[in-house]
Amino acid sequence: MPGLGALTPAEVNFWWWRLPDGDNGVRRAAEDHEAWAHLTPRAVRWHYHGLLTPPPGATVLAYTDHETAGDPATEQVRLYEDRVSTPGRLLVTTMDPVYHHGSRFMPGATQLLLGLLRWTGVKS
């Protein structure tokens, strides 16, 4: 992936909502970013398949603070927008909304997929 500093493996916790506090550590970043007009907090609050280190200048949109791989806001990233590594725009995530939307068992995945499509201008 152009610009990606690192992809750190992380154990997938499909059952995070069963934790006593029901918190999987997902935190929104760049609260004033245009993406949040299309993405609800629930849309980004589900499991992930690794941690990203985005390139300098990329906009971090979601990260987790439940891992131990350095600074959460720069090395435990789950979703970012990159407009610096290429002439276009990359949306990079370790969440997999297309698979889970198609499996029809994870409502947050559908919210993320539809929110991303609406934000990027694709009619859904």
Side-chain angles (χ1 to χ4, degrees), residues 61-105:
L61 296 173
Y63 64 92
T64 180
D65 66 4
H66 279 182
E67 301 288 340
T68 59
D71 179 21
T74 61
E75 296 174 288
Q76 295 178 189
V77 175
R78 299 181 46 218
L79 172 65
Y80 70 86
E81 177 186 37
D82 179 357
R83 291 180 181 249
V84 296
S85 296
T86 67
R89 173 170 63 168
L90 298 172
L91 304 177
V92 184
T93 184
T94 61
M95 298 179 281
D96 52 353
V98 174
Y99 171 80
H100 288 294
H101 169 73
S103 297
R104 300 176 190 251
F105 72 92

